[in-house]
Amino acid sequence: MENPVIILGAQAVGTAALDAFQSNEVVVYCLLDDKAELQNTELNDVPVMGNTDDKELLKLLGKKCEVFVATEDTASRRSLTNMLREEYTVAPVNAIHQRASVSPHAWLGHGNLIGANAVVAATAKLGDGCILGANSVVDVKAEVGDYAQLGAGAILNAEVQVGEQAFIGAGAVVVAGVKIGNKARVGAGSVVVADVPAGQTVFGNPAQTIKN
């Protein structure tokens, strides 16, 4: 990556993204965050300079800088990504840690964060804006929808399908061929052996629906 990167978000996701870029010796120009107490501070020696809608800095995008969206909230990541595409005609770059293993035969969308020691196998597919925690695994022919998130050490076995905005907790295992619906949530450490409908939360081994 020739151009430096501006990261939108300076909290947990932003810190992980910064680590991924710095592991590849990619220059990060600055971070932006809407939390006032984070502004005018530094993160890993990189300045946090202003709000995520700072027009003066965002006008650098597509010419002098790349961008990565690293806000905590999924809805915020989606809206910021859409704004970047519509107003600045740019798409976020992928942040792939130097110690991650991504097959050249995997398919990746834009703006994905892939943490240290994560694995994306051949023929796996990631949409846009996905977050893969450290040591997570997306096996062959598994598909992860836009803005889905895998916690550290989560494992998607072969041909698993994860819907948009779904959340797979740390250390969870989804067995081969299972489908996780849009906005479904899988608790940390769970073992998922059956399909999970959209919007449902499951937990345990084997994972069971949590009643509201």
Side-chain angles (χ1 to χ4, degrees), residues 3 9 14 33 38 48 69 86 92 103 110 118 131-132 142-143 168 199:
N3 290 333
D33 199 282
L38 294 177
V48 182
V69 180
E86 291 167 7
S103 169
H110 298 286
I131 297 176
L132 273 59
E143 297 187 8
I168 312 295

Side-chain angles (χ1 to χ4, degrees), residues 139 142 155-161 172-180 190-195 205-206:
D139 209 343
I155 297 174
L156 305 183
N157 283 297
E159 300 184 356
V160 165
Q161 294 182 25
V173 176
V174 184
V175 303
V178 164
K179 295 178 175 63
I180 308 293
S190 298
V191 177
V192 185
V193 298
D195 293 353
N205 180 9

Side-chain angles (χ1 to χ4, degrees), residues 27-130:
V27 174
V28 176
Y29 181 76
C30 68
L31 300 99
L32 303 177
D33 199 282
D34 294 336
K35 267 195 171 182
E37 59 265 35
L38 294 177
Q39 295 166 12
N40 301 312
T41 64
E42 288 190 347
L43 185 61
N44 295 3
D45 299 321
V46 177
V48 182
M49 297 181 70
N51 291 323
T52 54
D53 60 355
D54 188 313
K55 303 296 184 191
E56 285 302 304
L57 287 167
L58 293 181
K59 70 182 183 182
L60 298 172
L61 301 180
K63 301 167 187 172
K64 298 180 179 178
C65 290
E66 305 290 348
V67 66
F68 184 84
V69 180
T71 51
E72 305 300 298
D73 179 64
T74 301
S76 172
R77 290 206 306 278
R78 287 187 69 180
S79 62
L80 280 170
T81 299
N82 290 336
M83 178 272 291
L84 292 168
R85 286 181 166 138
E86 291 167 7
E87 296 185 25
Y88 299 93
T89 61
V90 296
V93 294
N94 289 316
I96 302 173
H97 198 282
Q98 190 268 337
R99 294 204 311 275
S101 175
V102 179
S103 169
H105 302 291
W107 189 95
L108 273 61
H110 298 286
N112 294 298
L113 171 58
I114 302 177
N117 302 314
V119 175
V120 182
T123 66
K125 182 176 180 180
L126 301 184
D128 295 333
C130 300

